[in-house]
Protein backbone atom coordinates (compact mmCIF):
# COMPACT_ATOMS: atom_id res chain seq x y z
CA UNK A 1 0.00 0.00 0.00
CA UNK A 2 2.79 2.43 0.89
CA UNK A 3 4.59 1.63 -2.36
CA UNK A 4 1.37 2.27 -4.31
CA UNK A 5 0.91 5.62 -2.54
CA UNK A 6 4.47 6.68 -3.34
CA UNK A 7 4.03 5.69 -6.99
CA UNK A 8 0.76 7.64 -7.22
CA UNK A 9 2.38 10.68 -5.63
CA UNK A 10 5.24 10.51 -8.13
CA UNK A 11 2.75 10.41 -11.01
CA UNK A 12 0.87 13.42 -9.63
CA UNK A 13 4.07 15.42 -9.14
CA UNK A 14 5.22 14.52 -12.65
CA UNK A 15 1.85 15.54 -14.10
CA UNK A 16 1.98 18.82 -12.23
CA UNK A 17 5.45 19.55 -13.55
CA UNK A 18 4.40 18.75 -17.10
CA UNK A 19 1.36 21.00 -16.72
CA UNK A 20 3.58 23.83 -15.47
CA UNK A 21 5.96 23.30 -18.38
CA UNK A 22 3.09 23.45 -20.88
CA UNK A 23 1.47 26.53 -19.34
CA UNK A 24 2.41 30.09 -20.28
CA UNK A 25 4.92 31.75 -17.95
CA UNK A 26 3.57 33.89 -15.08
CA UNK A 27 3.20 37.59 -16.04
CA UNK A 28 5.92 38.63 -13.58
CA UNK A 29 8.52 36.37 -15.22
CA UNK A 30 9.29 39.34 -17.46
CA UNK A 31 10.39 41.40 -14.45
CA UNK A 32 14.06 40.51 -14.26
CA UNK A 33 17.36 41.51 -12.75
CA UNK A 34 20.28 43.33 -14.39
CA UNK A 35 23.73 41.87 -13.88
CA UNK A 36 26.34 44.58 -14.36
CA UNK A 37 30.00 43.60 -14.30
CA UNK A 38 29.08 40.28 -12.70
CA UNK A 39 26.97 41.86 -9.95
CA UNK A 40 23.16 41.80 -9.83
CA UNK A 41 22.19 45.25 -8.61
CA UNK A 42 19.26 46.64 -10.64
CA UNK A 43 15.93 45.45 -11.97
CA UNK A 44 14.44 45.61 -15.48
CA UNK A 45 11.15 44.90 -17.25
CA UNK A 46 10.61 43.07 -20.53
CA UNK A 47 8.33 45.16 -22.79
CA UNK A 48 9.09 43.37 -26.08
CA UNK A 49 10.77 40.00 -26.66
CA UNK A 50 14.17 41.69 -27.04
CA UNK A 51 13.55 45.00 -25.25
CA UNK A 52 13.93 45.88 -21.56
CA UNK A 53 12.91 49.06 -19.76
CA UNK A 54 14.98 50.09 -16.74
CA UNK A 55 16.23 53.14 -14.87
CA UNK A 56 18.70 55.30 -16.77
CA UNK A 57 21.08 55.45 -13.81
CA UNK A 58 21.42 51.65 -14.00
CA UNK A 59 22.96 51.76 -17.50
CA UNK A 60 24.23 55.33 -18.12
CA UNK A 61 27.98 55.58 -18.51
CA UNK A 62 28.39 51.92 -19.40
CA UNK A 63 29.69 50.90 -22.81
CA UNK A 64 28.21 47.85 -24.44
CA UNK A 65 31.08 46.07 -26.29
CA UNK A 66 31.11 44.91 -29.90
CA UNK A 67 30.05 41.40 -30.85
CA UNK A 68 32.44 38.85 -29.41
CA UNK A 69 33.47 40.99 -26.44
CA UNK A 70 32.61 40.51 -22.79
CA UNK A 71 29.13 41.94 -22.38
CA UNK A 72 28.86 44.34 -19.50
CA UNK A 73 25.10 44.17 -18.86
CA UNK A 74 23.02 40.98 -18.71
CA UNK A 75 19.26 40.63 -18.22
CA UNK A 76 18.00 37.60 -16.29
CA UNK A 77 14.31 36.70 -16.25
CA UNK A 78 12.45 35.54 -13.16
CA UNK A 79 12.48 31.79 -12.47
CA UNK A 80 9.20 29.93 -11.90
CA UNK A 81 8.23 26.22 -11.85
CA UNK A 82 8.39 24.95 -15.41
CA UNK A 83 9.91 28.25 -16.57
CA UNK A 84 13.58 28.48 -15.59
CA UNK A 85 15.39 31.80 -15.76
CA UNK A 86 17.12 32.82 -18.97
CA UNK A 87 20.01 35.27 -19.07
CA UNK A 88 20.87 37.26 -22.19
CA UNK A 89 23.39 40.06 -22.85
CA UNK A 90 22.33 43.56 -23.81
CA UNK A 91 23.57 44.57 -27.26
CA UNK A 92 22.44 48.22 -27.28
CA UNK A 93 21.07 50.85 -24.95
CA UNK A 94 19.14 54.10 -25.29
CA UNK A 95 19.04 56.54 -22.37
CA UNK A 96 16.53 59.41 -22.30
CA UNK A 97 18.42 62.36 -23.85
CA UNK A 98 17.46 64.76 -21.04
CA UNK A 99 18.89 62.52 -18.32
CA UNK A 100 22.02 64.24 -17.01
CA UNK A 101 23.74 61.36 -15.24
CA UNK A 102 24.07 59.94 -11.75
CA UNK A 103 24.20 63.42 -10.22
CA UNK A 104 20.85 64.29 -11.82
CA UNK A 105 18.57 64.10 -8.79
CA UNK A 106 15.80 65.68 -10.87
CA UNK A 107 15.68 62.68 -13.19
CA UNK A 108 13.26 60.96 -10.84
CA UNK A 109 11.02 64.01 -10.64
CA UNK A 110 10.93 65.10 -14.27
CA UNK A 111 10.66 61.58 -15.67
CA UNK A 112 13.99 61.33 -17.50
CA UNK A 113 15.61 58.54 -15.43
CA UNK A 114 14.54 55.84 -17.89
CA UNK A 115 16.29 53.78 -20.56
CA UNK A 116 15.92 50.93 -23.04
CA UNK A 117 18.18 47.90 -23.35
CA UNK A 118 18.00 45.90 -26.56
CA UNK A 119 18.96 42.29 -25.94
CA UNK A 120 21.25 40.31 -28.21
CA UNK A 121 18.35 37.91 -28.91
CA UNK A 122 14.64 37.68 -28.04
CA UNK A 123 13.55 36.04 -24.80
CA UNK A 124 11.62 32.84 -25.72
CA UNK A 125 7.86 33.12 -25.14
CA UNK A 126 7.86 30.00 -22.96
CA UNK A 127 10.35 31.67 -20.58
CA UNK A 128 8.86 35.15 -20.16
CA UNK A 129 6.46 37.39 -22.03
CA UNK A 130 6.51 41.20 -22.27
CA UNK A 131 4.33 43.20 -19.92
CA UNK A 132 1.86 45.39 -21.84
CA UNK A 133 2.10 49.12 -21.15
CA UNK A 134 -0.91 50.79 -19.57
CA UNK A 135 -2.03 54.37 -19.15
CA UNK A 136 -0.71 56.73 -16.45
CA UNK A 137 -1.32 56.11 -12.78
CA UNK A 138 -3.56 58.46 -10.79
CA UNK A 139 -3.53 59.72 -7.21
CA UNK A 140 -4.52 57.02 -4.75
CA UNK A 141 -4.36 54.16 -7.23
CA UNK A 142 -3.29 50.80 -5.74
CA UNK A 143 -0.39 49.21 -7.63
CA UNK A 144 1.83 46.15 -7.36
CA UNK A 145 5.57 46.84 -7.17
CA UNK A 146 7.80 43.99 -8.44
CA UNK A 147 11.57 44.34 -7.94
CA UNK A 148 14.79 42.62 -6.86
CA UNK A 149 15.88 44.28 -3.58
CA UNK A 150 19.64 44.09 -3.37
CA UNK A 151 19.64 42.21 -6.68
CA UNK A 152 18.70 39.03 -4.78
CA UNK A 153 16.09 36.36 -5.42
CA UNK A 154 15.12 33.94 -8.19
CA UNK A 155 12.02 35.98 -8.98
CA UNK A 156 10.77 39.50 -8.31
CA UNK A 157 9.54 40.38 -4.85
CA UNK A 158 5.96 41.66 -5.10
CA UNK A 159 4.21 44.06 -2.73
CA UNK A 160 1.29 46.48 -2.81
CA UNK A 161 2.04 50.18 -3.02
CA UNK A 162 -0.33 53.09 -3.71
CA UNK A 163 0.36 56.14 -5.84
CA UNK A 164 0.38 59.16 -3.55
CA UNK A 165 1.11 61.91 -6.09
CA UNK A 166 0.90 61.41 -9.85
CA UNK A 167 2.41 63.83 -12.34
CA UNK A 168 2.54 63.60 -16.12
CA UNK A 169 5.93 61.87 -16.29
CA UNK A 170 6.61 60.75 -12.70
CA UNK A 171 4.84 59.60 -9.56
CA UNK A 172 5.51 59.29 -5.84
CA UNK A 173 4.50 56.03 -4.16
CA UNK A 174 3.65 55.30 -0.54
CA UNK A 175 6.27 52.62 0.08
CA UNK A 176 9.94 52.14 0.89
CA UNK A 177 12.54 51.41 -1.80
CA UNK A 178 16.05 50.01 -1.37
CA UNK A 179 19.08 49.51 -3.67
CA UNK A 180 18.48 46.95 -6.39
CA UNK A 181 14.87 47.99 -6.91
CA UNK A 182 15.70 50.67 -9.49
CA UNK A 183 14.38 49.61 -12.88
CA UNK A 184 11.66 47.43 -11.36
CA UNK A 185 7.97 47.48 -12.24
CA UNK A 186 4.97 49.34 -10.85
CA UNK A 187 2.07 47.31 -12.21
CA UNK A 188 -1.69 47.77 -12.46
CA UNK A 189 -4.02 44.79 -12.13
CA UNK A 190 -6.92 44.85 -14.60
CA UNK A 191 -9.66 42.35 -15.53
CA UNK A 192 -7.55 41.47 -18.59
CA UNK A 193 -4.32 40.97 -16.63
CA UNK A 194 -1.34 43.04 -15.54
CA UNK A 195 -0.03 46.15 -17.26
CA UNK A 196 3.10 48.18 -16.65
CA UNK A 197 2.58 51.79 -15.54
CA UNK A 198 5.84 52.76 -13.83
CA UNK A 199 9.59 52.12 -13.63
CA UNK A 200 11.04 52.41 -10.12
CA UNK A 201 13.92 54.88 -9.86
CA UNK A 202 14.48 56.45 -6.41
CA UNK A 203 13.54 56.69 -2.75
CA UNK A 204 13.13 59.44 -0.16
CA UNK A 205 11.33 60.07 3.13
CA UNK A 206 9.55 62.81 5.02
CA UNK A 207 9.75 62.27 8.74
CA UNK A 208 8.90 58.61 9.29
CA UNK A 209 7.06 58.20 5.99
CA UNK A 210 9.14 56.52 3.26
CA UNK A 211 8.40 57.21 -0.40
CA UNK A 212 9.49 55.71 -3.70
CA UNK A 213 9.60 57.45 -7.08
CA UNK A 214 8.68 55.89 -10.42
CA UNK A 215 8.63 57.11 -14.01
CA UNK A 216 5.25 57.13 -15.77
CA UNK A 217 6.03 54.74 -18.61
CA UNK A 218 3.20 55.92 -20.87
CA UNK A 219 4.67 59.44 -20.88
CA UNK A 220 8.19 58.41 -21.91
CA UNK A 221 8.19 55.13 -23.80
CA UNK A 222 7.01 56.71 -27.08
CA UNK A 223 9.79 59.30 -26.88
CA UNK A 224 12.40 56.61 -26.25
CA UNK A 225 11.15 54.52 -29.16
CA UNK A 226 11.28 57.50 -31.51
CA UNK A 227 14.78 58.49 -30.41
CA UNK A 228 16.29 55.00 -30.37
CA UNK A 229 14.43 53.38 -33.23
CA UNK A 230 13.95 50.31 -31.01
Amino acid sequence: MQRLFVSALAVLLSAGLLAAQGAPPPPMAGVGVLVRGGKADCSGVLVAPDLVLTAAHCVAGRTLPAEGGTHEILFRTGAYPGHPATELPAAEKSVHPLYLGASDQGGALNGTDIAFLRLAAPIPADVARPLPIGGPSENGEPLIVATYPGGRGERARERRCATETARRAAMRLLCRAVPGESGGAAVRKTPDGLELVGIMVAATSEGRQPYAFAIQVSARVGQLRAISGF
Side-chain angles (χ1 to χ4, degrees), residues 28-125:
M28 290 297 193
V31 181
V33 64
L34 298 187
V35 182
R36 307 183 302 166
K39 181 181 179 182
D41 58 2
C42 270
S43 303
V45 186
L46 197 68
V47 293
D50 65 345
L51 203 59
V52 172
L53 265 181
T54 188
H57 70 261
C58 290
V59 300
R62 291 180 174 261
T63 301
L64 295 177
E67 185 177 352
T70 301
H71 290 275
E72 193 173 10
I73 304 174
L74 303 172
F75 175 72
R76 182 191 305 146
T77 62
Y80 291 83
H83 306 281
T86 290
E87 189 175 87
L88 284 174
E92 300 177 77
K93 69 178 181 183
S94 179
V95 175
H96 195 284
L98 297 181
Y99 179 69
L100 300 179
S103 61
D104 180 17
Q105 299 298 318
L109 300 177
N110 60 28
T112 61
D113 191 355
I114 191 168
F116 270 142
L117 288 175
R118 183 183 284 282
L119 304 178
I123 297 288

Side-chain angles (χ1 to χ4, degrees), residues 45-47 52-55 96 111 113-116 131-137 167-171 183-188 195-201 214-225:
V45 186
L46 197 68
V47 293
V52 172
L53 265 181
T54 188
H96 195 284
D113 191 355
I114 191 168
F116 270 142
L131 274 177
I133 295 171
S137 184
R167 299 178 179 175
R168 190 184 73 83
M171 51 187 172
V187 175
R188 173 186 293 127
E195 55 186 27
L196 178 67
V197 298
I199 291 292
M200 306 295 289
V201 293
I215 306 302
Q216 295 263 30
V217 173
S218 60
R220 294 303 191 204
V221 71
Q223 295 173 350
L224 273 178
R225 286 189 182 279

